[in-house]
Amino acid sequence: MTRHTVAPKGQGGRGAFHRIADAVRAAAPGDVVVIAPGTWTEAVVLDRAVVLTAEHGRGSVVLAAPPGERPALTVDGPDCAVHGVTVWGADDGAPAIAVSPGAGLVLEDCAVEGGRIQARGPEDEESGTTALILRRCRLERARLAGLHMAGAVRARVEDTSVTGVDGTGVVLSGTARLEAARLRLDRTTGSGVRLRGSARLRLADSVLTGTGRAGLLLEEAAEATAGELRIESPGAAGVHVTGTARADLTDCRIRGASASGVVVQDNGVLNAQGCAVADAGANGLLLTGAAQARLADCRIDRSAFSAVHLSGTATGRLTDCLVRDGAEHGVHAAGEARLELADCGIRNVAMTGVAVAEQAVASVTGCRIDDVATGIGVGSASESRVENTTVTGTKEIGVQVATGGVAVLTGIRVTGAGAAGVVVDKGAEATVSGGSVEDCGGSGVVVWTGARPTVADLRVERPAKNGVFLAEGAGGTFTSLDVSGSGFPALHVGAGADPVFRHCRIRDCADALGTDGGAAPVLDDCTVDGAPLTYGEPAPAPAAPAPGAPAGPPGGTRPESTADDDREEPEETLDDLLGELNALVGLDRVKHDVGSLVKLMQTVRRREEAGLPAPPLSRHLIFAGNPGTGKTTVARLYGRLLKALGLLREGHLVEVDRTALVGEYVGHTGPKTTAAFNRALGGVLFIDEAYSLAPVGAGNDFGTEAVATLVKLMEDHRDDVVVIAAGYPGDMDRFISSNPGLSSRFGRTLLFEDYAADELVSIVEYQAAEHQYELTPAARAELTRLFELLPRGEGFGNGRSARQMFQEMTERQAQRVAELDDPTADELMALESQDLPQPAVRG
């Protein structure tokens, strides 16, 4: 490698060149041309592997194109490099640096002003590629484009800025490929980055600000992958995907778009994970044509139009996403679009949380919709489904199936609606199964003229008006409906309406049934405060119990089933459940504590039924104990006990741990915790290893957000859920002290002690009996000794260790019996001393 010096006349010593071009012509491939400080006005062509470097570093050398000539630097050869040089173009609209097809250029610590960098590649990759690398460079004051790559160009850009472009910042077309990291692009009159043809872009840790049009524009068959990209104040969409282009975004932020935050149209595809769109001037996400989008763990805040809008035949799938503070709908599907929402939250939007119109189809599962005008509105004749979703605090209707709409609602919960809870309009079709409507400002369910919904297993509690209102000529079937605390008659049947009510229960309502002239309701096995409800005559009062007969619960009970009417499973009794608890091996202290709680809750229930104030009572519990001590089993029984007491409506158990509650990104934890909590409504939320939500030295750990969300939800739903936090005894104190709201809500700790050796043997014997094995007396004695010797260290699993012991014994017994020619049934069942895994417990 030879070093060539370029210096003004009279400087540089003997052999120095006075023009850069002369030094380049004299250089051989691999030589270095060192340029003295100053401005050099000439057009330089690099046609071989030569390195140009500024002698005194960045900014000390300016290479300026002569007036009327362009570009200042032309690269025709491979493996060329320029270090520390500022390049001035002669025309802002022309290339200041041009890289020819098949050539290669590395720019480091350079600036390009008054023109663009243009790299052209061969038409196809078989003819070769053009290579371009920019490191720590600055491009500014260009027209049309700041950096333009066309054809088979392979480029990498690092720590580079593009600013003040009267046009597009970066353009890729044809088969160009660009990998960019820490790109800073600012003040373009056109789009920030534009891809056409089959261009490919990989963008990381970059910022696009103040673009005149879209921040990132993908056209035709282009593809882009972006991570940790921030787009600020674009003049159009933040990201715009058209044609068959595809964008994959991770942890990206788009704020202040003049139009929609993200637009996907035609056959474009978008995948977004952990992204946020805020303050869009139109929609947060707009899908048109046959576009497809998948969003996971994304946030869309403060949209001027509907936060998410789908039309045409677009498909949108949103999971664990959060929509907040929108000026119109939260999510709006029209045309023939297909919408899927799972575990999403929609909050504080001015119109409908989820609106489905025209022929669109929606599937909404495990979502929470708060503080909107109408929670869910379905007006499409294509069947939409809503499952296990909660709608709270709507200003108007909770869920509306509008004229022509078809919807299946399963396990929905509507609370605090300003008007009706569920409305089925004229000409609509609705199936409602399970769920509840609570504390609405109007009627619980409204059925307008001509509508005939199918409603089953729905609870309507404390509606300000009717539990169910059927307008003139309405109908439908209502099965196992439970209405309590209505301000107007529980059931209102308009003129000519002919609904069928089966197995319905009415309690504590202003009146049971109101009818207009010509109403024709059918009442089958319905009760009001325990007495049969009939139409046409007042319902009789509950009969007094005969002397010596057990008194029924206040309010009466449903009549006993007959042989021809045996459709319901028998309710679990309190005595049966307590017997099941007492049958568990060991846990004497836990059994005593649970029994005491049951007695306390019975007393509370009786005081409430007698109209007396109930003493303060927290049903939430801490289960402190080592693994395998029966915490989950007792938690499941506790829920069933509370259901038997009438303190929980379902009594089911939802078991979660940190992974089910805590997200991986900012904004993910709240919706994830809420979704898990909603699944437990009516039952028990069991948080295993709860202390992991408050790790030692947590700092900004997302577990603290999960705890704060749980505290609020426990307050909002204090009568409809029980939370049990479980974990090691020494760690649960840290969990309780991690949030001031926890200590007031978890008032009692149940200690699950380790099993003694004889109790572990009993567990093994229970497992054996379940699988038709028997321990010989000698095996039982030896097993007891082994459990007494078994180390109780970190790996000890209590009941789990006992079950593992049983499994090992059966495996060893199988090996032993296999050696017998014709084993008897007794030999096949017997577990003997030699079947014990002795080596596993030595030490």
Side-chain angles (χ1 to χ4, degrees):
M1 180 185 72
T2 302
R3 179 186 176 97
H4 304 276
T5 301
V6 179
K9 290 181 179 181
Q11 301 179 23
R14 185 176 180 180
F17 293 93
H18 305 307
R19 297 180 71 249
I20 299 172
D22 293 340
V24 170
R25 280 193 291 270
D31 287 355
V32 176
V33 175
V34 180
I35 309 170
T39 299
W40 303 83
T41 304
E42 56 180 300
V44 175
V45 176
L46 300 180
D47 57 1
R48 69 204 76 178
V50 174
V51 177
L52 302 184
T53 184
E55 183 179 19
H56 290 177
R58 181 171 188 161
S60 63
V61 172
V62 175
L63 174 62
E69 292 192 30
R70 64 181 99 167
L73 178 65
T74 299
V75 181
D76 290 336
D79 303 322
C80 300
V82 179
H83 302 288
V85 176
T86 297
V87 180
W88 288 352
D91 183 349
D92 290 357
I97 298 176
V99 185
S100 302
L105 173 65
V106 175
L107 286 181
E108 290 188 334
D109 300 308
C110 293
V112 180
E113 303 175 11
R116 66 182 175 271
I117 297 176
Q118 179 171 292
R120 294 191 179 277
E123 291 298 323
D124 57 77
E125 297 184 17
E126 293 181 359
S127 302
T129 59
T130 299
L132 176 64
I133 297 175
L134 277 66
R135 295 191 181 101
R136 302 178 299 280
C137 293
R138 174 173 52 86
L139 286 63
E140 62 180 70
R141 287 193 304 104
R143 280 190 295 115
L144 302 180
L147 174 60
H148 189 184
M149 291 165 280
V153 177
R154 300 295 175 265
R156 186 163 70 251
V157 174
E158 300 172 0
D159 301 295
T160 292
S161 66
V162 179
T163 184
V165 178
D166 184 9
T168 303
V170 178
V171 177
L172 283 76
S173 61
T175 59
R177 305 285 188 269
L178 170 63
E179 291 190 10
R182 298 171 298 284
L183 171 67
R184 299 295 182 265
L185 190 149
D186 182 37
R187 292 183 291 114
T188 66
T189 61
S191 297
V193 180
R194 181 182 185 185
L195 279 67
R196 304 181 64 185
S198 58
R200 300 288 185 267
L201 169 68
R202 185 176 295 274
L203 193 58
D205 190 17
S206 297
V207 179
L208 314 179
T209 61
T211 60
R213 302 186 69 180
L216 176 60
L217 174 62
L218 308 180
E219 300 175 292
E220 298 171 351
E223 293 185 8
T225 300
E228 299 184 23
L229 169 66
R230 182 158 55 91
I231 301 176
E232 296 279 354
S233 304
V239 176
H240 193 154
V241 184
T242 70
T244 59
R246 174 190 177 109
D248 294 294
L249 309 179
T250 303
D251 295 334
C252 296
R253 302 289 181 267
I254 301 168
R255 182 183 297 274
S258 296
S260 296
V262 178
V263 175
V264 188
Q265 62 187 96
D266 302 326
N267 289 284
V269 176
L270 168 72
N271 291 308
Q273 170 78 41
C275 298
V277 178
D279 303 307
N283 306 109
L285 170 64
L286 173 63
L287 305 177
T288 67
Q292 299 179 50
R294 290 177 178 268
L295 279 70
D297 185 29
C298 294
R299 298 196 318 273
I300 302 177
D301 294 335
R302 299 181 297 280
S303 302
F305 295 178
S306 296
V308 179
H309 179 86
L310 296 80
S311 63
T313 59
T315 300
R317 297 178 175 88
L318 282 70
T319 304
D320 280 334
C321 294
L322 180 61
V323 172
R324 298 181 295 192
D325 307 324
E328 293 186 355
H329 301 299
V331 181
H332 185 201
E336 298 179 8
R338 302 186 69 84
L339 169 68
E340 295 181 17
L341 298 177
D343 299 325
C344 293
I346 300 173
R347 184 181 309 155
N348 191 30
V349 297
M351 297 173 67
T352 303
V354 178
V356 188
E358 298 175 355
Q359 297 299 313
V361 177
S363 170
V364 182
T365 305
C367 296
R368 184 180 180 93
I369 302 171
D370 302 316
D371 193 20
V372 300
T374 295
I376 299 173
V378 179
S380 168
S382 301
E383 182 181 280
S384 292
R385 291 181 171 270
V386 181
E387 298 181 6
N388 301 324
T389 290
T390 299
V391 178
T392 64
T394 60
K395 298 174 181 64
E396 299 173 10
I397 298 168
V399 178
Q400 181 175 18
V401 187
T403 299
V406 180
V408 177
L409 313 177
T410 304
I412 62 164
R413 184 169 187 241
V414 179
T415 67
V422 177
V423 173
V424 184
D425 280 333
K426 180 179 180 180
E429 298 179 20
T431 301
V432 182
S433 176
S436 64
V437 177
E438 304 164 25
D439 302 301
C440 58
S443 296
V445 178
V446 173
V447 183
W448 289 112
T449 300
R452 309 186 71 82
T454 299
V455 181
D457 300 309
L458 179 70
R459 289 186 301 109
V460 181
E461 298 181 357
R462 300 175 298 278
K465 295 184 178 179
N466 306 107
V468 177
F469 176 93
L470 291 105
E472 178 180 352
T477 302
F478 300 81
T479 305
S480 298
L481 186 70
D482 191 332
V483 181
S484 62
S486 66
F488 289 19
L491 311 177
H492 175 88
V493 184
D498 58 352
V500 176
F501 296 97
R502 292 193 176 99
H503 317 305
C504 296
R505 186 171 67 158
I506 298 169
R507 296 177 292 116
D508 304 323
C509 294
D511 198 354
L513 179 64
T515 59
D516 293 336
V522 174
L523 304 174
D524 178 12
D525 187 27
C526 297
T527 63
V528 52
D529 294 324
L533 174 64
T534 59
Y535 176 54
E537 59 184 72
T557 61
R558 178 180 294 180
E560 293 293 330
S561 299
T562 65
D564 296 328
D565 185 18
D566 193 19
R567 288 179 285 268
E568 295 187 357
E569 292 292 329
E571 293 287 338
E572 293 182 310
T573 69
L574 194 60
D575 288 342
D576 288 342
L577 292 171
L578 288 173
E580 188 174 337
L581 174 68
N582 290 323
L584 296 177
V585 173
L587 304 177
D588 291 341
R589 179 184 296 186
V590 170
K591 294 173 185 176
H592 176 270
D593 290 345
V594 172
S596 298
L597 279 170
V598 168
K599 292 177 181 177
L600 176 59
M601 291 178 187
Q602 282 179 304
T603 302
V604 169
R605 181 77 172 180
R606 287 166 181 160
R607 286 180 62 87
E608 289 176 340
E609 291 168 347
L612 298 173
L617 173 66
S618 174
R619 300 179 297 178
H620 309 303
L621 299 174
I622 296 292
F623 281 10
N626 291 324
T629 48
K631 297 187 293 294
T632 305
T633 300
V634 174
R636 187 171 285 109
L637 264 172
Y638 186 61
R640 292 160 61 196
L641 283 164
L642 293 183
K643 181 184 180 184
L645 286 167
L647 298 176
L648 284 178
R649 52 189 170 87
E650 300 292 342
H652 64 293
L653 182 82
V654 174
E655 185 176 359
V656 298
D657 57 12
R658 177 185 169 92
T659 61
L661 303 177
V662 176
E664 300 177 8
Y665 313 100
V666 173
H668 187 199
T669 296
K672 196 169 183 179
T673 301
T674 301
F677 191 94
N678 286 344
R679 292 196 299 272
L681 289 174
V684 174
L685 180 67
F686 181 80
I687 308 174
D688 197 15
E689 298 181 348
Y691 53 83
S692 64
L693 298 175
V696 177
N700 293 323
D701 185 81
F702 291 148
T704 58
E705 181 184 351
V707 171
T709 303
L710 283 169
V711 169
K712 184 179 185 305
L713 291 169
M714 289 166 69
E715 177 61 26
D716 293 345
H717 304 281
R718 56 184 177 272
D719 295 328
D720 196 30
V721 76
V722 166
V723 178
I724 297 176
Y728 291 106
D731 292 316
M732 293 308 293
D733 289 341
R734 185 180 75 248
F735 169 70
I736 291 298
S737 62
S738 68
N739 186 295
L742 291 177
S743 58
S744 62
R745 287 167 175 81
F746 289 98
R748 185 183 296 263
T749 297
L750 272 60
L751 181 61
F752 287 70
E753 298 174 333
D754 287 345
Y755 288 111
D758 60 332
E759 292 171 337
L760 293 172
V761 172
S762 295
I763 294 173
V764 173
E765 288 186 313
Y766 175 81
Q767 292 285 316
E770 285 284 296
H771 296 84
Q772 293 190 331
Y773 287 92
E774 291 181 0
L775 272 72
T776 64
R780 190 185 195 287
E782 181 63 15
L783 181 60
T784 302
R785 187 185 69 83
L786 289 178
F787 277 135
E788 289 172 345
L789 297 175
L790 189 68
R792 299 294 181 107
E794 184 175 339
F796 178 64
N798 279 288
R800 184 173 64 249
S801 293
R803 290 188 291 272
Q804 290 171 345
M805 181 74 75
F806 168 70
Q807 182 177 348
E808 291 183 48
M809 291 175 69
T810 58
E811 291 172 357
R812 292 170 63 88
Q813 188 250 27
Q815 296 295 325
R816 177 175 56 80
V817 172
E819 301 296 327
L820 303 177
D821 292 334
D822 188 17
T824 65
D826 289 343
E827 289 173 326
L828 290 169
M829 295 173 61
L831 294 174
E832 300 183 359
S833 299
Q834 62 201 90
D835 299 324
L836 294 171
Q838 302 264 4
V841 296
R842 288 177 182 168

